[in-house]
Amino acid sequence: LFDAQQVTGGKVLLRGTFTHVNDLPRDGLVRLSSDGTVDTTFVPGVVLGSVNTGRMAPQGDGRILLHTGTSLVRLGVDGALDATFAAVSYPAGDMVLDHAGNVLVSNGAPGGLFGSTYGVRRLGPNGLADTTFAPTTSATVWDLIVHAD
């Protein structure tokens, strides 16, 4: 198990290298109901399998931002890929939502959205990069925290 996040309705989202949960096929991502049963209304539109990198960030509206190991995607409440979000390619680092609904991401290696640098990027709620915010660093930024102020 790599990550666990509480989501709306008292449900829990789990991410790991599992292929089945309670004998149901769930390849690396599952949402459990508050009683621990698999929420069968959530069928992930991505296969994670043995991907052990990346993060997930539940949004207040039930959608989920998920790094698949190579790309950041958004899943709808039912787990389907959200076509209104511009999928972004970058090596996984950290990811956090800010107070305005933007997504801050850092990279684990140069590439994709980051080009040949390390650093932090800000994406709008639609997944498009904010080109006015692009600080670079000399190495990986592993943890991002948004302060209240």
Side-chain angles (χ1 to χ4, degrees):
L1 188 63
F2 297 117
D3 201 358
Q5 299 275 337
Q6 187 168 1
V7 294
T8 56
K11 297 179 181 186
V12 177
L13 193 64
L14 302 176
R15 189 179 165 320
T17 57
F18 49 82
T19 57
H20 289 76
V21 177
N22 294 344
D23 295 323
L24 292 173
R26 290 295 185 269
D27 201 5
L29 184 65
V30 66
R31 186 169 66 194
L32 302 178
S33 298
S34 59
D35 64 359
T37 59
V38 173
D39 179 357
T40 56
T41 66
F42 181 81
V43 180
V46 294
V47 175
L48 297 174
S50 62
V51 173
N52 62 3
T53 59
R55 305 273 196 234
M56 60 183 178
Q59 295 180 288
D61 61 2
R63 295 181 295 183
I64 300 156
L65 290 168
L66 176 71
H67 197 284
T68 66
T70 58
S71 297
L72 176 65
V73 297
R74 183 166 59 197
L75 304 180
V77 175
D78 62 355
L81 283 172
D82 181 351
T84 67
F85 186 82
V88 180
S89 173
Y90 72 97
D94 198 10
M95 168 181 46
V96 65
L97 296 169
D98 72 12
H99 304 293
N102 296 308
V103 186
L104 297 172
V105 296
S106 65
N107 58 333
L113 172 68
F114 291 85
S116 61
T117 65
Y118 290 95
V120 178
R121 299 294 182 268
R122 181 170 54 206
L123 309 174
N126 58 2
L128 296 177
D130 175 353
T131 57
T132 66
F133 184 91
T136 60
T137 61
S138 60
T140 300
V141 176
W142 288 114
D143 293 305
L144 297 170
I145 299 171
V146 174
H147 288 268
D149 58 355

